[in-house]
Each structure stands twice: as structure tokens, then as C-alpha cells.
Amino acid sequence: MLIPLHSLVVSCQALEDEPLYGSAIMAAMARAAYMAGAGGIRAGGAADIAAIKRAVPLPVIGLVKITHPGYDVYITPTLEDALAIRRAGADIVAIDATDRKRPDGRTLGEVISALNKEGIPVMADISTYEEGVRAAALGADYISTTLCGYTEATSSRMLPDLELLGRLSVDLELPVVAEGGIKHPEQAAEALRRGASFVVVGGAITRPQQIAADYVRAINGAGK
């Protein structure tokens, strides 16, 4: 396994409209995570991945977020996107592994098979138990709960969904990854106790505007 067992992976990502957007800033975030003892980085976009690989000696889970009109899939939505992310230096490529249609017309099985043939480790970002089981059967190397809470079928779920994580960890032989909605260190520790091979945390560490907004909401609520 490329990512150390029971380690923290820090997601270093920022969108174009966010103040920390930029490869140099994401590389600095990755260096901070490395200094803290993280076992890996999750990063989006070829430029950020390449910069992070130059900055830290950690395995990188790579992806790209692209919106296609008429399609809900946006995490590494096409095979070509996945191959480009690999060329940028990603050690593992994360792809949307939900049951939604992909903009290039390929099935999930076709995408995973093509990546397997190239020797590219695949992280399947899923939202439900059934999607996790299917992705494992199709040849994914990792199953991650990344999209739980972010699809129509799971939008009402309370995050992190540790029950989903636990079921997948018991029933699957490949590494199951906890990601999505983890805001406190104790939640990360509990995810490991529930069977996660490692834990991915993003916004709670690397998105200061999101962290500050939580404080603002709490303070505003206390003042009423």
C-alpha cells in the first residue's frame, strides 16, 4: 500500500475563487502537513500535483475537478483526465465511482480496467455501500467514502458516515479510506477504530475561510 497504514492524508486543494488558490500555496500547505507527520497528500489539478511532488517526499492522491453541463460527475470525470493526472505525478488517481453517467460515455468498469492496464493505482470515490462493493469488484485499489453526503441519494446523511465506513471495512478486503466531514481529531481516530486504512482530512485543516466561518456562525448564534 502506497499510503502508510493508519496515517493522516491531508487534502490540499483550493478552488479558483478561494484566497489560497495557487500551486505555490498548495505546496506550502503540503510542506506543513509533511512537517506535522502526514503520510500522504490529496491534491487537485496537474499544476498543484507537480508542485507538491517537488515540495514533499509523500505519496500524492491526485484528481481534477471539472464540471460538464448535464453531468453530475466532476471528480476526474474522464479517462483522459485520469491519465493526465498520472502524468503530472500522482501516485494514486482518484475518480468518481458513483453510479452516475460519465461525460466521456465510458462505464466505470472501462475506466478502471484501462487504468489497471497502465499500472495506475485507483482510488474509487463512492457515496454508498453498493457503489463501494461494485468498485472493488471492478478492480479499484482503494475505496473512499469521499462522496457520501454529496450525491442526491446521500444528501441527508450525517457526516462523517462512520457506519458506511465500518460496513465497507468489514466486507471488503482492499483498503477502505475515511474521507468526508471529518472536522475533529477524535473523529479521525474513531474512523481508524471502525476499520479505515487511513483518513483523509481537508477543509478542517487547509481551508481557513471555512474554519473561520464555523467560528463566525457559532459566535453570531451565541450573541442572539
Side-chain angles (χ1 to χ4, degrees):
M1 187 166 65
L2 294 174
I3 307 290
L5 191 64
H6 296 162
S7 65
L8 170 68
V9 170
V10 177
S11 182
C12 299
Q13 299 183 61
L15 301 176
E16 291 186 24
D17 60 349
E18 294 178 342
L20 297 190
Y21 179 75
S23 297
I25 298 175
M26 290 300 102
M29 283 284 192
R31 286 196 298 272
Y34 172 62
M35 292 173 66
I41 303 294
R42 181 166 164 126
D48 285 7
I49 291 166
I52 288 169
K53 288 297 292 184
R54 291 192 297 267
V56 295
L58 293 176
V60 171
I61 302 166
L63 63 132
V64 62
K65 293 179 178 177
I66 303 175
T67 300
H68 291 266
Y71 294 90
D72 293 325
V73 170
Y74 65 95
I75 293 179
T76 321
T78 71
L79 174 60
E80 288 71 21
D81 293 329
L83 294 173
I85 289 304
R86 175 66 166 187
R87 289 194 295 269
D91 300 282
I92 301 166
V93 173
I95 64 172
D96 183 306
T98 65
D99 58 7
R100 300 175 294 186
K101 291 183 178 180
R102 308 178 69 85
D104 61 1
R106 291 185 172 90
T107 66
L108 177 62
E110 289 171 340
V111 174
I112 293 176
S113 177
L115 296 176
N116 286 344
K117 288 178 181 178
E118 295 293 327
I120 301 172
V122 177
M123 176 172 286
D125 288 349
I126 58 89
S127 67
T128 67
Y129 174 83
E130 292 76 15
E131 290 168 354
V133 171
R134 183 182 65 153
L138 290 173
D141 300 281
Y142 301 83
I143 303 298
S144 179
T145 59
T146 311
L147 289 169
C148 182
Y150 299 96
T151 62
E152 184 176 355
T154 63
S155 60
S156 62
R157 299 273 185 93
M158 292 292 292
L159 301 179
D161 191 335
L162 297 178
E163 181 179 351
L164 171 63
L165 171 72
R167 288 184 67 197
L168 290 169
S169 298
V170 168
D171 293 346
L172 300 181
E173 295 183 358
L174 72 169
V176 176
V177 181
E179 181 176 6
I182 297 173
K183 293 189 173 182
H184 308 290
E186 180 52 37
Q187 291 175 325
E190 180 61 21
L192 293 178
R193 288 191 286 268
R194 295 288 188 100
S197 294
F198 56 87
V199 179
V200 179
V201 180
I205 297 175
T206 58
R207 297 186 110 147
Q209 78 278 15
Q210 177 180 312
I211 299 167
D214 289 340
Y215 279 92
V216 170
R217 280 191 293 270
I219 289 171
N220 288 344
K224 292 181 179 179

